[in-house]
Amino acid sequence: MFNVEEILERTKDFLFANVPGVIGAILVLIIGFKLSKWIVRAIENSMNKYNKDATLNSFIKALSRFSLKFAVVIFAANVLGIGIDTFLVILGAAGLAIGLALKDNLSNLASGVIILLFRPFNIGDFIEAGGYSGTVKEIQLMHTKLNTPDNKVVVIPNGALVNEKIINFSVEKTRRVDFKFSVGYGADIKKVKEILNSIVDNHPLVLKDPKPFIRLFESGEGAITFTVRVWGEAANYWTIYYDLQEEVRLKFDENNINLPFPQMGVHLINKNGG
């Protein structure tokens, strides 16, 4: 077991005995981190100018930042009088705790490479993964950032993304919008279908091909249900969904189409069993 007090005492003695080296290492860290930040910005500007692949650019930017900062730390350790071999020995001496921490980080790093190679999603795609939905903003070495529709930033480890189901809503240019509309048993079925067809045909964002599908789905308990399936551009999905919901309700009201509502039948039985 490590003696914490002894380690702290030795560290203090080492620092006091190497004051010039400590000052030099601090200067290296300050200047090195600022210089690495400038280099990363230059790399980012160059990639944005010559390479339009936002996903690859994001990953290379994160890799460059990590590599440069790690190099600065190694150089500062050398200035402090700690050689690379000694530095690695110190890392190894930290034991199981660091090993377990690195295990997860290495898994996330490997998963980041897999995401880059197989591209289940790209920067700007709207995805559902890890229990969250949002637009992909950044793909880093260890994690991916999503921006949710209500403008929250969600950070998901890359390992979790690779090992779980990912739904990408942006791969295909078109999406199908599904509806179920219920009416009361007193409604005229032909009139209902006529209204639904009219609404769908007149909506400017609903595609004519594939052809819209409108059929009676079921005669259920207390209601007759119609299925409506239409296609539109993926970017227009929610506009179509809310427009049709509103227009159908308004047209049903205008044409006195009865809507279903919960009902309860009550039977009265007199004492003679009648």
Coordinates of all heavy atoms in Angstrom, one line a residue, residues 48-84:
N48 N -11.5 23.3 -42.6 CA -12.7 23.9 -43.0 C -12.6 24.5 -44.4 O -13.6 24.5 -45.1 CB -13.2 24.9 -42.0 CG -13.6 24.4 -40.7 OD1 -14.0 23.2 -40.6 ND2 -13.6 25.2 -39.6
K49 N -11.4 24.9 -44.8 CA -11.2 25.5 -46.1 C -11.1 24.5 -47.2 O -11.6 24.6 -48.3 CB -10.0 26.4 -46.0 CG -9.7 27.1 -47.3 CD -8.5 28.0 -47.2 CE -8.2 28.8 -48.5 NZ -7.0 29.7 -48.4
Y50 N -10.4 23.4 -46.9 CA -10.1 22.4 -47.9 C -10.8 21.1 -47.8 O -10.8 20.3 -48.7 CB -8.6 22.1 -47.9 CG -7.7 23.3 -48.2 CD1 -7.0 24.0 -47.2 CD2 -7.6 23.8 -49.5 CE1 -6.2 25.1 -47.5 CE2 -6.9 24.9 -49.8 CZ -6.2 25.5 -48.8 OH -5.4 26.6 -49.1
N51 N -11.4 20.8 -46.7 CA -12.2 19.6 -46.5 C -13.5 19.9 -45.9 O -13.7 20.4 -44.8 CB -11.4 18.7 -45.5 CG -12.1 17.3 -45.3 OD1 -12.9 16.9 -46.1 ND2 -11.7 16.6 -44.3
K52 N -14.6 19.5 -46.6 CA -16.0 19.8 -46.2 C -16.6 18.7 -45.4 O -17.8 18.8 -45.1 CB -16.8 20.0 -47.5 CG -16.3 21.2 -48.4 CD -16.2 22.5 -47.6 CE -15.7 23.6 -48.5 NZ -15.6 24.9 -47.8
D53 N -15.8 17.7 -45.0 CA -16.4 16.6 -44.2 C -16.3 17.1 -42.7 O -15.3 17.0 -42.1 CB -15.5 15.4 -44.4 CG -16.2 14.1 -43.7 OD1 -17.0 14.3 -42.8 OD2 -15.9 13.0 -44.2
A54 N -17.5 17.6 -42.2 CA -17.5 18.1 -40.9 C -17.2 17.1 -39.8 O -16.6 17.3 -38.8 CB -18.9 18.8 -40.6
T55 N -17.7 15.8 -40.1 CA -17.4 14.7 -39.1 C -16.0 14.4 -38.9 O -15.4 14.4 -37.8 CB -18.2 13.5 -39.5 OG1 -19.6 13.8 -39.6 CG2 -18.0 12.4 -38.5
L56 N -15.3 14.3 -40.1 CA -13.8 14.0 -40.0 C -13.1 15.2 -39.4 O -12.1 15.0 -38.6 CB -13.3 13.7 -41.4 CG -11.8 13.4 -41.6 CD1 -11.5 12.1 -40.8 CD2 -11.5 13.2 -43.0
N57 N -13.5 16.4 -39.8 CA -12.8 17.6 -39.2 C -12.9 17.7 -37.7 O -11.9 18.0 -37.0 CB -13.4 18.8 -39.9 CG -13.1 19.0 -41.3 OD1 -12.3 18.2 -41.9 ND2 -13.7 19.9 -42.0
S58 N -14.1 17.4 -37.2 CA -14.3 17.4 -35.8 C -13.4 16.4 -35.1 O -12.8 16.7 -34.0 CB -15.8 17.1 -35.5 OG -16.0 17.1 -34.1
F59 N -13.3 15.2 -35.6 CA -12.5 14.1 -35.0 C -11.0 14.5 -35.0 O -10.3 14.3 -34.0 CB -12.8 12.8 -35.7 CG -12.2 11.6 -35.0 CD1 -13.0 11.0 -34.0 CD2 -10.9 11.1 -35.2 CE1 -12.5 9.9 -33.3 CE2 -10.4 10.0 -34.6 CZ -11.2 9.4 -33.6
I60 N -10.5 15.0 -36.2 CA -9.1 15.3 -36.3 C -8.8 16.5 -35.4 O -7.7 16.5 -34.7 CB -8.8 15.7 -37.8 CG1 -8.9 14.5 -38.7 CG2 -7.4 16.4 -37.9 CD1 -8.6 14.8 -40.1
K61 N -9.7 17.4 -35.2 CA -9.5 18.5 -34.3 C -9.3 18.0 -32.9 O -8.4 18.5 -32.1 CB -10.7 19.5 -34.4 CG -10.6 20.6 -33.4 CD -11.9 21.5 -33.5 CE -11.9 22.5 -32.4 NZ -13.2 23.3 -32.4
A62 N -10.2 17.1 -32.4 CA -10.1 16.6 -31.1 C -8.8 15.8 -30.9 O -8.2 15.9 -29.9 CB -11.3 15.7 -30.8
L63 N -8.5 15.0 -31.9 CA -7.2 14.2 -31.8 C -6.0 15.1 -31.8 O -5.1 14.8 -31.0 CB -7.1 13.3 -33.0 CG -5.9 12.3 -33.1 CD1 -5.9 11.4 -31.9 CD2 -5.9 11.5 -34.4
S64 N -6.0 16.2 -32.5 CA -4.9 17.1 -32.5 C -4.7 17.8 -31.2 O -3.6 17.9 -30.6 CB -5.0 18.2 -33.6 OG -5.1 17.6 -34.9
R65 N -5.9 18.2 -30.6 CA -5.8 18.9 -29.3 C -5.3 17.9 -28.2 O -4.4 18.3 -27.4 CB -7.3 19.3 -28.9 CG -7.3 20.1 -27.6 CD -8.7 20.3 -27.2 NE -9.4 21.2 -28.1 CZ -10.5 20.8 -28.8 NH1 -10.9 19.6 -28.7 NH2 -11.1 21.6 -29.6
F66 N -5.7 16.7 -28.2 CA -5.2 15.7 -27.2 C -3.8 15.4 -27.4 O -3.0 15.4 -26.4 CB -6.1 14.4 -27.3 CG -5.6 13.3 -26.4 CD1 -6.0 13.3 -25.1 CD2 -4.7 12.3 -26.9 CE1 -5.5 12.3 -24.3 CE2 -4.3 11.3 -26.1 CZ -4.7 11.3 -24.8
S67 N -3.3 15.2 -28.6 CA -1.9 14.9 -28.9 C -1.0 16.0 -28.5 O 0.1 15.8 -27.9 CB -1.7 14.5 -30.4 OG -2.6 13.4 -30.8
L68 N -1.4 17.2 -28.9 CA -0.5 18.4 -28.6 C -0.4 18.6 -27.1 O 0.7 18.9 -26.5 CB -1.0 19.6 -29.3 CG -0.9 19.7 -30.8 CD1 -1.7 20.8 -31.4 CD2 0.6 19.8 -31.2
K69 N -1.5 18.5 -26.4 CA -1.5 18.7 -24.9 C -0.7 17.6 -24.2 O 0.1 17.9 -23.3 CB -2.9 18.7 -24.3 CG -3.6 20.0 -24.7 CD -5.0 20.1 -24.0 CE -5.7 21.4 -24.3 NZ -7.0 21.5 -23.6
F70 N -0.8 16.4 -24.7 CA 0.0 15.3 -24.1 C 1.5 15.5 -24.4 O 2.3 15.3 -23.5 CB -0.4 14.0 -24.7 CG 0.2 12.8 -24.1 CD1 -0.2 12.3 -22.9 CD2 1.3 12.1 -24.8 CE1 0.4 11.2 -22.3 CE2 1.9 11.0 -24.2 CZ 1.4 10.5 -22.9
A71 N 1.9 16.0 -25.6 CA 3.3 16.3 -25.9 C 3.8 17.4 -25.0 O 4.9 17.4 -24.5 CB 3.4 16.7 -27.3
V72 N 2.9 18.4 -24.7 CA 3.4 19.5 -23.8 C 3.6 19.0 -22.4 O 4.6 19.4 -21.8 CB 2.3 20.6 -23.8 CG1 2.6 21.6 -22.7 CG2 2.2 21.3 -25.1
V73 N 2.8 18.1 -21.9 CA 3.0 17.6 -20.6 C 4.3 16.8 -20.5 O 5.0 16.8 -19.5 CB 1.8 16.7 -20.2 CG1 2.0 15.9 -18.9 CG2 0.5 17.5 -20.0
I74 N 4.6 16.0 -21.5 CA 5.8 15.2 -21.6 C 7.0 16.1 -21.6 O 8.0 15.9 -20.8 CB 5.8 14.3 -22.8 CG1 4.7 13.2 -22.8 CG2 7.2 13.6 -23.0 CD1 4.9 12.2 -21.7
F75 N 7.0 17.2 -22.4 CA 8.1 18.1 -22.4 C 8.3 18.8 -21.1 O 9.4 19.0 -20.6 CB 7.8 19.1 -23.5 CG 9.0 20.0 -23.8 CD1 10.2 19.5 -24.3 CD2 8.9 21.4 -23.6 CE1 11.3 20.4 -24.5 CE2 9.9 22.3 -23.8 CZ 11.1 21.7 -24.3
A76 N 7.2 19.2 -20.4 CA 7.2 19.9 -19.1 C 7.9 18.9 -18.1 O 8.7 19.3 -17.2 CB 5.9 20.3 -18.7
A77 N 7.5 17.6 -18.2 CA 8.1 16.6 -17.3 C 9.6 16.5 -17.5 O 10.4 16.4 -16.5 CB 7.4 15.3 -17.5
N78 N 10.1 16.6 -18.8 CA 11.5 16.6 -19.1 C 12.2 17.8 -18.5 O 13.3 17.7 -17.9 CB 11.7 16.5 -20.6 CG 11.5 15.1 -21.1 OD1 11.9 14.2 -20.5 ND2 11.0 15.0 -22.3
V79 N 11.6 19.0 -18.6 CA 12.2 20.2 -18.0 C 12.3 20.1 -16.5 O 13.2 20.5 -15.9 CB 11.3 21.4 -18.4 CG1 11.8 22.7 -17.7 CG2 11.4 21.6 -19.9
L80 N 11.3 19.4 -15.9 CA 11.3 19.2 -14.5 C 12.3 18.2 -14.1 O 12.6 18.0 -12.9 CB 9.9 18.8 -14.0 CG 9.6 18.8 -12.5 CD1 9.8 20.2 -11.9 CD2 8.2 18.4 -12.3
G81 N 12.9 17.5 -15.0 CA 13.9 16.5 -14.7 C 13.4 15.1 -14.7 O 14.0 14.1 -14.2
I82 N 12.1 14.9 -15.2 CA 11.5 13.6 -15.2 C 11.6 13.1 -16.6 O 10.9 13.6 -17.5 CB 10.1 13.6 -14.7 CG1 10.0 14.2 -13.3 CG2 9.4 12.2 -14.8 CD1 8.5 14.4 -12.8
G83 N 12.4 12.0 -16.9 CA 12.5 11.5 -18.2 C 11.2 10.7 -18.6 O 10.3 10.5 -17.8
I84 N 11.1 10.4 -19.9 CA 9.9 9.7 -20.4 C 9.8 8.4 -19.7 O 8.6 8.0 -19.4 CB 10.0 9.6 -21.9 CG1 8.7 8.9 -22.5 CG2 11.2 8.9 -22.4 CD1 7.5 9.7 -22.3

